[in-house]
Amino acid sequence: MDIAMVGLGKMGRNMATRLLRGGHRVVAYDVNEAAILAAEEAGAEGARSLEEITVKLAAPRSVWIMVPSGKITESTVSALSEALEAGDTVIDGGNSNYKDSMRRAASLAGKSIHFIDVGTSGGVWGLAEGYSMMIGGEPETVERHRPIFETLAPAPDKGWGYVGPNGAGHFVKMVHNGIEYGLMQAYAEGFEIMKAKEEFGLSLHQIAEIWRYGSVVRSWLLDLTANALNGDESLSEIKPWVADSGEGRWTVAEAMDLDIPAPVITLALQARFVSRREDNYAARLLAAMRHQFGGHAVKKA
């Protein structure tokens, strides 16, 4: 299936590469010329404007955007609404607010352009392991793009699915990230407690490795924690400053709107705020975990 990839950051490049390896034709565009050239070297066809995409793809066109949420996504969708034609499809695979996705879908529908919101998880490991995708949109439009989702997923029948109408995909991904905050915080706090018990001389990396097999707390996050602790358990080179992408905030706000108690996710979000104000080991480990699974930048101490 032919598809355009707009936004060639690390995740966008990896997704384009996985699609190319799966036999799809990819037209690649980014505001950064070097990123386009890199995509061309990988086998994609470069485009130097959104308008050029419409020339290089036959109707009905499919354009997957992987750009930062907020203003950049808004301007990109707006520009595509002018460049594309009736019957074409815009797929937003970024971390957009689900309410924005619902609004964008309605706006594009006025021009008979389809919209799919794909909550995408997998980070820097997605190229090798595949991406988990939570998909919202019109069922028939989603089904038409099944070959794309089957290629990007860990397996054709695993790790992806249609979850509901427009907005549902990004809503589910928002909650996914909120849960992620809570899991990460629990690991970080537990390891800090063990680090503080100096009389036992515990090896945190060894313990993480033990827990990876047979334990009820084993998980991919624990695998990545073990990676982060291998070598320098003190994490002395990482500043204990933990960013948040915004989805944790949206999850907490949604819980409040729905009168749903979510103390773990809320406190995990608050802990990230605390990390920006004082030095603590748990924050160092959180920053290290984010770097492990998403390639997110860490601040050096």
Side-chain angles (χ1 to χ4, degrees), residues 29-253:
Y29 169 73
D30 193 278
V31 295
N32 183 352
E33 174 67 15
I36 300 176
L37 292 174
E40 288 177 331
E41 290 180 4
E45 296 180 36
R48 268 61 187 180
S49 69
L50 295 178
E51 290 73 21
E52 189 177 347
I53 287 173
T54 65
V55 176
K56 294 199 169 188
L57 290 178
R61 305 168 186 85
S62 298
V63 181
W64 188 304
I65 62 174
M66 285 299 293
V67 298
S69 64
K71 292 182 179 179
I72 299 178
T73 296
E74 188 71 22
S75 62
T76 302
V77 172
S78 178
L80 284 171
S81 72
E82 299 298 326
L84 297 177
E85 301 174 344
D88 293 343
T89 301
V90 175
I91 305 171
D92 180 6
N95 284 333
S96 293
N97 188 296
Y98 80 94
K99 295 178 181 178
D100 289 334
S101 296
M102 295 173 68
R103 173 178 54 77
R104 290 166 186 151
S107 176
L108 290 172
K111 297 187 175 184
S112 297
I113 298 173
H114 305 289
F115 182 83
I116 301 175
D117 52 289
V118 181
T120 310
S121 181
V124 298
W125 297 87
L127 175 58
E129 303 292 336
Y131 297 90
S132 173
M133 292 169 290
M134 301 134 262
I135 304 169
E138 304 157 320
E140 60 276 11
T141 304
V142 173
E143 182 61 27
R144 184 164 64 84
H145 290 83
R146 172 180 287 271
I148 296 295
F149 302 132
E150 289 181 340
T151 299
L152 290 173
D157 60 344
K158 290 183 175 64
W160 75 279
Y162 172 74
V163 297
N166 282 125
H170 281 152
F171 178 83
V172 174
K173 178 56 161 52
M174 175 191 76
V175 177
H176 164 284
N177 281 26
I179 293 170
E180 181 183 288
Y181 279 37
L183 291 172
M184 291 171 67
Q185 186 65 31
Y187 280 128
E189 291 176 5
F191 277 92
E192 183 168 32
I193 292 170
M194 291 187 290
K195 182 177 184 294
K197 195 66 172 176
E198 295 180 354
E199 64 191 85
F200 286 157
L202 301 173
S203 167
L204 301 186
H205 176 252
Q206 179 201 25
I207 293 166
E209 290 290 349
I210 292 171
W211 288 356
R212 289 180 61 205
Y213 303 96
S215 167
V216 295
V217 299
R218 66 187 184 273
S219 71
W220 187 45
L221 272 176
L222 183 60
D223 295 343
L224 299 176
T225 300
N227 288 345
L229 292 170
N230 188 18
D232 179 16
E233 291 191 357
S234 69
L235 304 174
S236 58
E237 295 186 357
I238 297 177
K239 185 175 181 179
W241 194 100
V242 187
D244 71 281
S245 63
E247 298 211 37
R249 302 182 189 217
W250 300 341
T251 305
V252 171

